[in-house]
Amino acid sequence: MGEGVQYETQGAIAVITLNNPPVNALGHAVRRGLLESLEKAVADDGTKAVVLIGSGRGFSGGADIREFGKPRPEPLLSEVIGRIEASPKPVIAAVHGMALGGGCELALGCHHRVADASAQMGLPEVKLGLIPGAGGTQRLPRLIGLKPALDMIASGDQVGAARAKQLGLVEEVVDGDLRAAALDFANQVIARAETPPRIRDMTVDASGAEDVLDQARTNAARRMRGLTAPQYCIDSVANAIKLPFDEALEKERGFFAELEGSDQSAALRHLFFAEREAHRIPGVAKDTTTRPIDKAAVIGCGTMGRGIAMSLANGGIPVTVLEVDQSTLNAGLDMIDKTYAGSVSRGSLTEDARNARMALISGAASLTDIADADIVIEAVFEDMDLKKDIFTKLDQAIKQGAILATNTSSLDINEIAAATKRPEDVIGTHFFSPANVMKLIENVRGTMTAADVIATVMKLSRDIGKVGVMVGVCDGFVGNRMLYAYREQAEFLLEEGALPHQVDKVITDFGFPMGPFAMGDLAGLDVGYMVRQHQRKMNPPAYREPYIGDRLAEMGRHGQKTQKGWYLYEAGSRTPVPDPEIEELIVGVSKELGIARRDITDQEILERCVYPLINEGAKILEEGIAIRPSDIDLVWIYGYGFPRGRGGPMFHADAVGTKTIYEAMARLFEAHGALLRPATLLKELAKSGKSFADFQKEATVR
Ligand code: 3HC
Ligand code: NAI
């Protein structure tokens, strides 16, 4: 039978097996194979029923995402599914592992569904900026009801086997051999000699529908701000109660086609592949054996140490925490417990899960207590002498083969590694605050870091549900280095005529959850101030830096925690309120500097903040600090809230055009000086009519 699909018979049952590793994506060959197999089963008089099953890791990971954005050869998936549903002989889907997107829709086109306990079913299309385009928005609400279907489709979240059974998405969850159980099930269906039941013939209970739809729209607008696809998902599901099946299906196809061609979907698909590409690291072979990580230790139970310990425990890894003394340790562990308790009271964690996670976290009194840890992550104060001292001691105390990691946000990993006799085991694992929430880890390789240490830390990042991106050593690594460029321009804009709320509004309108000033207030203006003071000492800048931010920090206006920063905050509120005192201060600084304040347009604000960020990204690529543009995109999406629908700064740069950005940077450089010098790479791409995607393709060595 067609490539990617196997056909065999067992008595009166035809078994069609999807066989397209690694995830049985429903590419053209599979769709054709499915149709041919079905036709064969229908034509064969000896065949009374069909079992459709997946080989390998699961049933199917859905449509082949690589085919999107290009013309798709027939048969289309919706046609294949329609033909299965119309089959006069019953078709039983046997689901193990993932049945996602088109994979789930394929199961919905079948007349019966059975699963084993490993099944994970869902319609994650919304996460790719799409809606389910092969009947999912029509069949799922018919099968499981409007609200549960909306929840699944608008969130893209998947459900496990038990929940799928509860929802009626599958009829049976079987133990043991799925294929044998599905054959049994098929024999029972044959014995009943019924007309194959079709989901399209069912109706959706429309009572209370308007309220359910309104609620879904409100939730989607809040949780997926700025993204188009969730509202389309809801509109399409709404058609399940408004329109006849075929008409609604036609509309669904129209919505899908529109979204498939949208910039947002292209950006979200880019991020899907970027996350997977990030694991391909030059110098680290794909089959590198990773070191087992069964036990971890964290040094320091402050802001970051606590979050890191929780991240490890959330990923099921036992973790031991070390502090300067017992009372600081107890206070840290207490804060961890309180954070989990907060999640329980908000309903995002069960009491059992909280207890299980707390049971994985323990305190230690000395380094000897953590000597057998497989990885130690240091998160003490940002002080080179202290870190070196700790690494010298770790080298003496911790077992050979362990990974010695530092969470430093700016210090030189090579210098820290040199404090040990095993620099090959030393690596940076730069978590973002709050570490238990933020998904990014910038993993920083030193010059001596061993390949298996890199592979292990990248795998660990994924195992604990984070997005790991491998970067090299430089001041600020990738994310913070780009942030400096962005923040500096935001502050220069204040000196020239803008006000914090004006800048922040442009940036939030662009899609960031917060502008640079509200963000500074959240992070604490004293924190950035201390980092800058340190940097100035280590590496005195060759240009005049903006200084309003420093002045605020020196005035004790540290942001939300002091209720005053760039904005005012009422007690207990996180809502920034513009402060006339700050406006006065800003105007005063312009005067001191002899700058005539001018009206600054929103477009200029956007260009002055976002283009230097991209420009710095280009320099980072030139220097080989980031492996590829898409890695930078991940850093900014998962660490800094760059709008997902724009795919990250480098993807956005391509959407704007490298030529446009280069020309703007050249203009800004003329007007505002050296800090805005266009990167050589940006210039080269602009001059040769190329994009960062072209650069990535050319740089990719497989
Ligand atoms: N199409 C094409 N390639 C896919 C794919 C898909 N649907 N799903 C996964 N792959 C590729 C990955 O890119 C990766 O390739 P690589 O090895 O070259 O990097 C490989 O398969 C393995 O994927 P993962 O590393 O992600 O493997 P995991 O085991 O961690 O996860 C998965 C498997 C849960 C299936 C995950 O890959 C996933 O979430 N895939 C996307 C699922 C999805 O969004 N499906 C909907 C597609 S849209 C659709 O169906 C439209 C329909 O409504 C018409
Ligand atoms: P913090 O001040 O909240 O915590 C540091 C903790 O380390 C304190 O509890 C302190 O008692 C403990 N400590 C100090 N010396 C120790 C020793 N010898 N042994 C054991 N514990 C010791 O600092 P924070 O913010 O958690 O930062 C830690 C590290 O993480 C720094 O390197 C920082 O640059 C980095 N980082 C911080 C981020 C942030 O947003 N706070 C973000 C990313 C990285």
mmCIF file of all heavy atoms in Angstrom, residues 22-23 25-26 57 60-66 68 77 98 100-103 105 123-125 127-128 130-134 158 256 272-273 276-277 280 286 462, ligand 1:
data_model
loop_
_atom_site.group_PDB
_atom_site.id
_atom_site.type_symbol
_atom_site.label_atom_id
_atom_site.label_comp_id
_atom_site.label_asym_id
_atom_site.label_seq_id
_atom_site.Cartn_x
_atom_site.Cartn_y
_atom_site.Cartn_z
ATOM 1 N N PRO A 22 8.923 10.286 12.544
ATOM 2 C CA PRO A 22 8.835 9.856 13.935
ATOM 3 C C PRO A 22 7.453 9.994 14.570
ATOM 4 O O PRO A 22 7.199 9.388 15.594
ATOM 5 C CB PRO A 22 9.812 10.823 14.627
ATOM 6 C CG PRO A 22 9.757 12.073 13.801
ATOM 7 C CD PRO A 22 9.535 11.621 12.386
ATOM 8 N N VAL A 23 6.531 10.790 13.949
ATOM 9 C CA VAL A 23 5.266 11.028 14.675
ATOM 10 C C VAL A 23 4.032 10.707 13.833
ATOM 11 O O VAL A 23 2.924 11.112 14.163
ATOM 12 C CB VAL A 23 5.186 12.495 15.201
ATOM 13 C CG1 VAL A 23 6.353 12.812 16.125
ATOM 14 C CG2 VAL A 23 5.108 13.517 14.075
ATOM 15 N N ALA A 25 3.145 11.911 11.009
ATOM 16 C CA ALA A 25 2.532 13.125 10.459
ATOM 17 C C ALA A 25 1.791 12.747 9.186
ATOM 18 O O ALA A 25 2.192 11.845 8.450
ATOM 19 C CB ALA A 25 3.604 14.171 10.171
ATOM 20 N N LEU A 26 0.680 13.460 8.933
ATOM 21 C CA LEU A 26 -0.218 13.064 7.855
ATOM 22 C C LEU A 26 0.133 13.806 6.559
ATOM 23 O O LEU A 26 -0.672 14.565 6.017
ATOM 24 C CB LEU A 26 -1.666 13.331 8.288
ATOM 25 C CG LEU A 26 -2.059 12.605 9.592
ATOM 26 C CD1 LEU A 26 -3.360 13.143 10.154
ATOM 27 C CD2 LEU A 26 -2.155 11.094 9.357
ATOM 28 N N ARG A 57 5.704 5.770 18.141
ATOM 29 C CA ARG A 57 5.452 6.527 19.366
ATOM 30 C C ARG A 57 4.011 6.927 19.602
ATOM 31 O O ARG A 57 3.661 7.358 20.696
ATOM 32 C CB ARG A 57 6.307 7.799 19.355
ATOM 33 C CG ARG A 57 7.736 7.519 19.737
ATOM 34 C CD ARG A 57 8.684 8.469 19.061
ATOM 35 N NE ARG A 57 8.540 9.826 19.540
ATOM 36 C CZ ARG A 57 9.265 10.844 19.083
ATOM 37 N NH1 ARG A 57 10.166 10.643 18.149
ATOM 38 N NH2 ARG A 57 9.098 12.050 19.561
ATOM 39 N N SER A 60 -0.925 9.645 15.819
ATOM 40 C CA SER A 60 -0.438 10.611 14.826
ATOM 41 C C SER A 60 -0.277 11.996 15.452
ATOM 42 O O SER A 60 -1.135 12.440 16.213
ATOM 43 C CB SER A 60 -1.407 10.693 13.641
ATOM 44 O OG SER A 60 -1.086 11.825 12.848
ATOM 45 N N GLY A 61 0.801 12.661 15.072
ATOM 46 C CA GLY A 61 1.064 14.044 15.524
ATOM 47 C C GLY A 61 0.382 15.079 14.638
ATOM 48 O O GLY A 61 0.646 16.264 14.777
ATOM 49 N N GLY A 62 -0.491 14.629 13.723
ATOM 50 C CA GLY A 62 -1.296 15.578 12.955
ATOM 51 C C GLY A 62 -0.753 15.868 11.579
ATOM 52 O O GLY A 62 0.148 15.184 11.080
ATOM 53 N N ALA A 63 -1.328 16.896 10.980
ATOM 54 C CA ALA A 63 -0.913 17.290 9.627
ATOM 55 C C ALA A 63 0.594 17.542 9.622
ATOM 56 O O ALA A 63 1.173 17.887 10.649
ATOM 57 C CB ALA A 63 -1.658 18.557 9.220
ATOM 58 N N ASP A 64 1.202 17.376 8.467
ATOM 59 C CA ASP A 64 2.650 17.621 8.368
ATOM 60 C C ASP A 64 2.882 19.131 8.300
ATOM 61 O O ASP A 64 2.592 19.772 7.287
ATOM 62 C CB ASP A 64 3.203 16.921 7.114
ATOM 63 C CG ASP A 64 4.727 16.974 7.091
ATOM 64 O OD1 ASP A 64 5.303 17.911 7.705
ATOM 65 O OD2 ASP A 64 5.332 16.091 6.471
ATOM 66 N N ILE A 65 3.410 19.682 9.386
ATOM 67 C CA ILE A 65 3.537 21.144 9.495
ATOM 68 C C ILE A 65 4.474 21.699 8.415
ATOM 69 O O ILE A 65 4.349 22.840 8.010
ATOM 70 C CB ILE A 65 4.033 21.532 10.915
ATOM 71 C CG1 ILE A 65 3.052 20.988 11.964
ATOM 72 C CG2 ILE A 65 4.139 23.037 11.081
ATOM 73 C CD1 ILE A 65 3.575 21.065 13.392
ATOM 74 N N ARG A 66 5.368 20.834 7.939
ATOM 75 C CA ARG A 66 6.301 21.319 6.907
ATOM 76 C C ARG A 66 5.593 21.611 5.582
ATOM 77 O O ARG A 66 6.115 22.297 4.724
ATOM 78 C CB ARG A 66 7.425 20.292 6.680
ATOM 79 C CG ARG A 66 8.402 20.241 7.852
ATOM 80 C CD ARG A 66 9.234 19.009 7.800
ATOM 81 N NE ARG A 66 8.376 17.817 7.729
ATOM 82 C CZ ARG A 66 8.808 16.574 7.798
ATOM 83 N NH1 ARG A 66 10.086 16.339 7.913
ATOM 84 N NH2 ARG A 66 7.978 15.549 7.731
ATOM 85 N N PHE A 68 2.815 23.266 5.393
ATOM 86 C CA PHE A 68 1.992 24.474 5.509
ATOM 87 C C PHE A 68 2.621 25.644 4.770
ATOM 88 O O PHE A 68 3.837 25.737 4.661
ATOM 89 C CB PHE A 68 1.779 24.849 6.979
ATOM 90 C CG PHE A 68 0.867 23.900 7.706
ATOM 91 C CD1 PHE A 68 0.691 24.007 9.073
ATOM 92 C CD2 PHE A 68 0.193 22.911 7.028
ATOM 93 C CE1 PHE A 68 -0.138 23.135 9.750
ATOM 94 C CE2 PHE A 68 -0.645 22.036 7.685
ATOM 95 C CZ PHE A 68 -0.808 22.147 9.060
ATOM 96 N N LEU A 77 -6.604 16.253 3.826
ATOM 97 C CA LEU A 77 -6.945 15.462 5.003
ATOM 98 C C LEU A 77 -8.457 15.455 5.262
ATOM 99 O O LEU A 77 -9.034 14.426 5.607
ATOM 100 C CB LEU A 77 -6.200 16.020 6.229
ATOM 101 C CG LEU A 77 -6.346 15.213 7.505
ATOM 102 C CD1 LEU A 77 -5.854 13.777 7.324
ATOM 103 C CD2 LEU A 77 -5.570 15.883 8.651
ATOM 104 N N MET A 98 0.392 9.991 21.133
ATOM 105 C CA MET A 98 -0.252 11.238 20.723
ATOM 106 C C MET A 98 -1.256 11.048 19.582
ATOM 107 O O MET A 98 -1.008 10.299 18.637
ATOM 108 C CB MET A 98 0.813 12.290 20.362
ATOM 109 C CG MET A 98 1.378 12.311 18.982
ATOM 110 S SD MET A 98 2.397 10.939 18.443
ATOM 111 C CE MET A 98 4.023 11.266 18.927
ATOM 112 N N LEU A 100 -2.893 14.071 17.885
ATOM 113 C CA LEU A 100 -2.964 15.527 17.979
ATOM 114 C C LEU A 100 -3.353 16.138 16.640
ATOM 115 O O LEU A 100 -3.011 15.601 15.580
ATOM 116 C CB LEU A 100 -1.601 16.090 18.410
ATOM 117 C CG LEU A 100 -1.083 15.613 19.776
ATOM 118 C CD1 LEU A 100 0.302 16.185 20.052
ATOM 119 C CD2 LEU A 100 -2.048 16.010 20.884
ATOM 120 N N GLY A 101 -4.051 17.263 16.718
ATOM 121 C CA GLY A 101 -4.388 17.991 15.502
ATOM 122 C C GLY A 101 -5.108 17.091 14.526
ATOM 123 O O GLY A 101 -6.082 16.397 14.871
ATOM 124 N N GLY A 102 -4.599 17.037 13.281
ATOM 125 C CA GLY A 102 -5.202 16.172 12.275
ATOM 126 C C GLY A 102 -5.264 14.724 12.726
ATOM 127 O O GLY A 102 -6.139 13.970 12.288
ATOM 128 N N GLY A 103 -4.362 14.325 13.626
ATOM 129 C CA GLY A 103 -4.385 12.953 14.159
ATOM 130 C C GLY A 103 -5.635 12.726 14.985
ATOM 131 O O GLY A 103 -6.288 11.677 14.883
ATOM 132 N N GLU A 105 -8.346 14.554 14.674
ATOM 133 C CA GLU A 105 -9.480 14.704 13.744
ATOM 134 C C GLU A 105 -9.709 13.420 12.960
ATOM 135 O O GLU A 105 -10.844 13.054 12.655
ATOM 136 C CB GLU A 105 -9.208 15.874 12.787
ATOM 137 C CG GLU A 105 -9.234 17.221 13.506
ATOM 138 C CD GLU A 105 -8.821 18.371 12.606
ATOM 139 O OE1 GLU A 105 -7.664 18.352 12.121
ATOM 140 O OE2 GLU A 105 -9.625 19.276 12.377
ATOM 141 N N LEU A 123 -6.292 19.089 20.183
ATOM 142 C CA LEU A 123 -6.278 19.871 18.951
ATOM 143 C C LEU A 123 -5.407 21.109 19.196
ATOM 144 O O LEU A 123 -5.921 22.181 19.533
ATOM 145 C CB LEU A 123 -7.717 20.243 18.566
ATOM 146 C CG LEU A 123 -8.605 19.043 18.184
ATOM 147 C CD1 LEU A 123 -10.070 19.430 18.077
ATOM 148 C CD2 LEU A 123 -8.136 18.407 16.874
ATOM 149 N N PRO A 124 -4.074 20.941 19.059
ATOM 150 C CA PRO A 124 -3.170 22.046 19.408
ATOM 151 C C PRO A 124 -2.976 23.087 18.298
ATOM 152 O O PRO A 124 -2.100 23.934 18.402
ATOM 153 C CB PRO A 124 -1.844 21.315 19.684
ATOM 154 C CG PRO A 124 -1.892 20.128 18.776
ATOM 155 C CD PRO A 124 -3.340 19.741 18.644
ATOM 156 N N GLU A 125 -3.805 23.031 17.241
ATOM 157 C CA GLU A 125 -3.594 23.929 16.095
ATOM 158 C C GLU A 125 -3.482 25.390 16.506
ATOM 159 O O GLU A 125 -2.706 26.155 15.928
ATOM 160 C CB GLU A 125 -4.746 23.777 15.082
ATOM 161 C CG GLU A 125 -4.693 22.500 14.255
ATOM 162 C CD GLU A 125 -5.374 21.305 14.913
ATOM 163 O OE1 GLU A 125 -5.632 21.368 16.141
ATOM 164 O OE2 GLU A 125 -5.646 20.318 14.221
ATOM 165 N N LYS A 127 -2.049 26.720 18.826
ATOM 166 C CA LYS A 127 -0.684 27.074 19.217
ATOM 167 C C LYS A 127 0.192 27.368 18.002
ATOM 168 O O LYS A 127 1.273 27.912 18.122
ATOM 169 C CB LYS A 127 -0.049 25.953 20.060
ATOM 170 C CG LYS A 127 -0.792 25.744 21.364
ATOM 171 C CD LYS A 127 -0.158 24.702 22.249
ATOM 172 C CE LYS A 127 -0.969 24.575 23.539
ATOM 173 N NZ LYS A 127 -0.547 23.519 24.414
ATOM 174 N N LEU A 128 -0.285 26.923 16.844
ATOM 175 C CA LEU A 128 0.430 27.219 15.597
ATOM 176 C C LEU A 128 -0.268 28.346 14.841
ATOM 177 O O LEU A 128 -0.028 28.554 13.651
ATOM 178 C CB LEU A 128 0.475 25.965 14.714
ATOM 179 C CG LEU A 128 1.228 24.755 15.288
ATOM 180 C CD1 LEU A 128 1.001 23.525 14.418
ATOM 181 C CD2 LEU A 128 2.720 25.047 15.394
ATOM 182 N N LEU A 130 -3.455 28.496 14.120
ATOM 183 C CA LEU A 130 -4.422 27.904 13.199
ATOM 184 C C LEU A 130 -5.681 27.480 13.952
ATOM 185 O O LEU A 130 -5.723 27.565 15.174
ATOM 186 C CB LEU A 130 -3.807 26.650 12.554
ATOM 187 C CG LEU A 130 -2.546 26.854 11.724
ATOM 188 C CD1 LEU A 130 -1.882 25.500 11.445
ATOM 189 C CD2 LEU A 130 -2.899 27.552 10.418
ATOM 190 N N ILE A 131 -6.665 26.980 13.211
ATOM 191 C CA ILE A 131 -7.763 26.267 13.854
ATOM 192 C C ILE A 131 -7.697 24.830 13.328
ATOM 193 O O ILE A 131 -7.073 24.577 12.288
ATOM 194 C CB ILE A 131 -9.150 26.880 13.533
ATOM 195 C CG1 ILE A 131 -9.502 26.695 12.047
ATOM 196 C CG2 ILE A 131 -9.194 28.349 13.911
ATOM 197 C CD1 ILE A 131 -10.971 26.949 11.771
ATOM 198 N N PRO A 132 -8.334 23.898 14.006
ATOM 199 C CA PRO A 132 -8.410 22.553 13.431
ATOM 200 C C PRO A 132 -9.090 22.666 12.065
ATOM 201 O O PRO A 132 -10.159 23.274 11.973
ATOM 202 C CB PRO A 132 -9.275 21.780 14.435
ATOM 203 C CG PRO A 132 -9.125 22.558 15.719
ATOM 204 C CD PRO A 132 -9.006 23.991 15.305
ATOM 205 N N GLY A 133 -8.470 22.135 11.042
ATOM 206 C CA GLY A 133 -8.971 22.379 9.689
ATOM 207 C C GLY A 133 -9.505 21.145 9.002
ATOM 208 O O GLY A 133 -9.794 21.168 7.816
ATOM 209 N N ALA A 134 -9.642 20.049 9.747
ATOM 210 C CA ALA A 134 -10.153 18.831 9.112
ATOM 211 C C ALA A 134 -11.344 18.304 9.908
ATOM 212 O O ALA A 134 -11.438 17.130 10.217
ATOM 213 C CB ALA A 134 -9.051 17.788 8.986
ATOM 214 N N GLN A 158 -3.988 19.270 25.571
ATOM 215 C CA GLN A 158 -4.393 17.898 25.303
ATOM 216 C C GLN A 158 -4.915 17.215 26.570
ATOM 217 O O GLN A 158 -4.686 17.706 27.672
ATOM 218 C CB GLN A 158 -3.246 17.106 24.687
ATOM 219 C CG GLN A 158 -1.984 17.088 25.506
ATOM 220 C CD GLN A 158 -0.757 16.835 24.627
ATOM 221 O OE1 GLN A 158 -0.633 17.392 23.537
ATOM 222 N NE2 GLN A 158 0.134 16.000 25.095
ATOM 223 N N PHE A 256 -9.339 28.199 8.149
ATOM 224 C CA PHE A 256 -8.022 27.551 8.213
ATOM 225 C C PHE A 256 -7.103 28.131 7.130
ATOM 226 O O PHE A 256 -5.963 28.504 7.398
ATOM 227 C CB PHE A 256 -8.163 26.034 8.041
ATOM 228 C CG PHE A 256 -6.853 25.296 8.185
ATOM 229 C CD1 PHE A 256 -6.436 24.836 9.425
ATOM 230 C CD2 PHE A 256 -6.018 25.081 7.091
ATOM 231 C CE1 PHE A 256 -5.217 24.178 9.572
ATOM 232 C CE2 PHE A 256 -4.806 24.430 7.223
ATOM 233 C CZ PHE A 256 -4.405 23.975 8.461
ATOM 234 N N PHE A 272 7.821 26.758 16.587
ATOM 235 C CA PHE A 272 7.743 25.300 16.779
ATOM 236 C C PHE A 272 9.048 24.649 16.309
ATOM 237 O O PHE A 272 9.674 23.870 17.029
ATOM 238 C CB PHE A 272 6.541 24.731 16.002
ATOM 239 C CG PHE A 272 6.459 23.226 16.033
ATOM 240 C CD1 PHE A 272 5.894 22.575 17.116
ATOM 241 C CD2 PHE A 272 6.981 22.454 14.998
ATOM 242 C CE1 PHE A 272 5.839 21.177 17.166
ATOM 243 C CE2 PHE A 272 6.931 21.065 15.035
ATOM 244 C CZ PHE A 272 6.352 20.430 16.121
ATOM 245 N N PHE A 273 9.474 25.007 15.108
ATOM 246 C CA PHE A 273 10.701 24.397 14.587
ATOM 247 C C PHE A 273 11.934 24.941 15.311
ATOM 248 O O PHE A 273 12.896 24.211 15.524
ATOM 249 C CB PHE A 273 10.798 24.591 13.068
ATOM 250 C CG PHE A 273 9.800 23.751 12.321
ATOM 251 C CD1 PHE A 273 8.757 24.312 11.600
ATOM 252 C CD2 PHE A 273 9.874 22.361 12.381
ATOM 253 C CE1 PHE A 273 7.816 23.517 10.943
ATOM 254 C CE2 PHE A 273 8.943 21.549 11.731
ATOM 255 C CZ PHE A 273 7.907 22.133 11.005
ATOM 256 N N ARG A 276 12.882 22.995 18.338
ATOM 257 C CA ARG A 276 13.529 21.703 18.047
ATOM 258 C C ARG A 276 14.941 21.910 17.494
ATOM 259 O O ARG A 276 15.863 21.193 17.838
ATOM 260 C CB ARG A 276 12.635 20.894 17.094
ATOM 261 C CG ARG A 276 11.506 20.254 17.886
ATOM 262 C CD ARG A 276 10.158 20.262 17.267
ATOM 263 N NE ARG A 276 9.185 19.825 18.260
ATOM 264 C CZ ARG A 276 8.485 20.649 19.030
ATOM 265 N NH1 ARG A 276 8.619 21.955 18.918
ATOM 266 N NH2 ARG A 276 7.638 20.173 19.930
ATOM 267 N N GLU A 277 15.095 22.937 16.684
ATOM 268 C CA GLU A 277 16.400 23.244 16.094
ATOM 269 C C GLU A 277 17.428 23.593 17.186
ATOM 270 O O GLU A 277 18.617 23.281 17.057
ATOM 271 C CB GLU A 277 16.220 24.437 15.137
ATOM 272 C CG GLU A 277 17.406 24.740 14.249
ATOM 273 C CD GLU A 277 17.649 23.689 13.179
ATOM 274 O OE1 GLU A 277 16.740 22.906 12.871
ATOM 275 O OE2 GLU A 277 18.780 23.646 12.667
ATOM 276 N N ARG A 280 20.100 21.248 18.203
ATOM 277 C CA ARG A 280 21.209 20.871 17.310
ATOM 278 C C ARG A 280 22.347 21.842 17.571
ATOM 279 O O ARG A 280 22.249 23.026 17.268
ATOM 280 C CB ARG A 280 20.774 20.940 15.849
ATOM 281 C CG ARG A 280 19.661 19.965 15.559
ATOM 282 C CD ARG A 280 19.397 19.801 14.067
ATOM 283 N NE ARG A 280 18.436 18.733 13.889
ATOM 284 C CZ ARG A 280 17.112 18.920 13.791
ATOM 285 N NH1 ARG A 280 16.617 20.143 13.811
ATOM 286 N NH2 ARG A 280 16.297 17.897 13.659
ATOM 287 N N LYS A 286 24.489 14.307 17.654
ATOM 288 C CA LYS A 286 23.094 14.037 18.017
ATOM 289 C C LYS A 286 22.985 12.863 19.002
ATOM 290 O O LYS A 286 22.125 12.840 19.871
ATOM 291 C CB LYS A 286 22.324 13.728 16.736
ATOM 292 C CG LYS A 286 20.869 14.079 16.846
ATOM 293 C CD LYS A 286 20.123 13.865 15.558
ATOM 294 C CE LYS A 286 18.631 13.902 15.871
ATOM 295 N NZ LYS A 286 17.822 13.222 14.909
ATOM 296 N N ARG A 462 14.745 20.471 28.839
ATOM 297 C CA ARG A 462 13.495 19.964 28.264
ATOM 298 C C ARG A 462 12.758 19.080 29.276
ATOM 299 O O ARG A 462 11.540 19.165 29.421
ATOM 300 C CB ARG A 462 13.785 19.191 26.981
ATOM 301 C CG ARG A 462 12.528 18.733 26.296
ATOM 302 C CD ARG A 462 12.653 18.622 24.806
ATOM 303 N NE ARG A 462 13.651 17.622 24.433
ATOM 304 C CZ ARG A 462 13.942 17.323 23.183
ATOM 305 N NH1 ARG A 462 13.325 17.930 22.190
ATOM 306 N NH2 ARG A 462 14.851 16.422 22.910
HETATM 307 N N1 3HC B 1 4.543 17.796 11.235
HETATM 308 C C1 3HC B 1 5.828 17.727 10.844
HETATM 309 N N2 3HC B 1 6.833 17.399 11.662
HETATM 310 C C2 3HC B 1 6.522 17.143 12.941
HETATM 311 C C3 3HC B 1 5.208 17.196 13.424
HETATM 312 C C4 3HC B 1 4.178 17.542 12.515
HETATM 313 N N3 3HC B 1 2.899 17.605 12.882
HETATM 314 N N4 3HC B 1 5.208 16.896 14.738
HETATM 315 C C5 3HC B 1 6.492 16.642 15.062
HETATM 316 N N5 3HC B 1 7.274 16.783 13.978
HETATM 317 C C6 3HC B 1 8.724 16.553 13.898
HETATM 318 C C7 3HC B 1 9.507 17.539 14.744
HETATM 319 O O1 3HC B 1 9.773 18.714 14.021
HETATM 320 C C8 3HC B 1 10.752 16.751 15.071
HETATM 321 O O2 3HC B 1 11.572 16.812 13.946
HETATM 322 P P1 3HC B 1 13.174 16.826 14.099
HETATM 323 O O3 3HC B 1 13.520 15.558 14.808
HETATM 324 O O4 3HC B 1 13.646 16.929 12.717
HETATM 325 O O5 3HC B 1 13.482 18.048 14.925
HETATM 326 C C9 3HC B 1 10.238 15.317 15.189
HETATM 327 O O6 3HC B 1 8.975 15.291 14.497
HETATM 328 C C10 3HC B 1 10.004 14.848 16.609
HETATM 329 O O7 3HC B 1 9.231 15.832 17.284
HETATM 330 P P2 3HC B 1 9.520 16.236 18.793
HETATM 331 O O8 3HC B 1 10.974 16.426 18.987
HETATM 332 O O9 3HC B 1 8.612 17.351 19.108
HETATM 333 O O10 3HC B 1 9.080 14.895 19.547
HETATM 334 P P3 3HC B 1 8.301 14.734 20.905
HETATM 335 O O11 3HC B 1 8.154 13.286 21.121
HETATM 336 O O12 3HC B 1 8.923 15.576 21.962
HETATM 337 O O13 3HC B 1 6.841 15.350 20.637
HETATM 338 C C11 3HC B 1 4.770 15.705 19.508
HETATM 339 C C12 3HC B 1 5.976 14.786 19.699
HETATM 340 C C13 3HC B 1 3.952 15.775 20.791
HETATM 341 C C14 3HC B 1 3.924 15.131 18.387
HETATM 342 C C15 3HC B 1 5.263 17.120 19.139
HETATM 343 O O14 3HC B 1 6.191 17.030 18.096
HETATM 344 C C16 3HC B 1 4.180 18.054 18.691
HETATM 345 O O15 3HC B 1 3.547 18.688 19.513
HETATM 346 N N6 3HC B 1 3.976 18.144 17.378
HETATM 347 C C17 3HC B 1 3.045 19.078 16.801
HETATM 348 C C18 3HC B 1 1.641 18.610 16.984
HETATM 349 C C19 3HC B 1 0.705 19.551 16.300
HETATM 350 O O16 3HC B 1 0.712 20.750 16.518
HETATM 351 N N7 3HC B 1 -0.140 18.992 15.445
HETATM 352 C C20 3HC B 1 -1.086 19.776 14.743
HETATM 353 C C21 3HC B 1 -0.571 20.051 13.400
HETATM 354 S S1 3HC B 1 -1.663 21.133 12.541
HETATM 355 C C22 3HC B 1 -2.884 20.145 11.992
HETATM 356 O O17 3HC B 1 -2.931 18.978 12.289
HETATM 357 C C23 3HC B 1 -3.841 20.809 11.099
HETATM 358 C C24 3HC B 1 -5.089 20.018 10.909
HETATM 359 O O18 3HC B 1 -6.103 20.528 11.723
HETATM 360 C C25 3HC B 1 -5.565 20.067 9.487
#
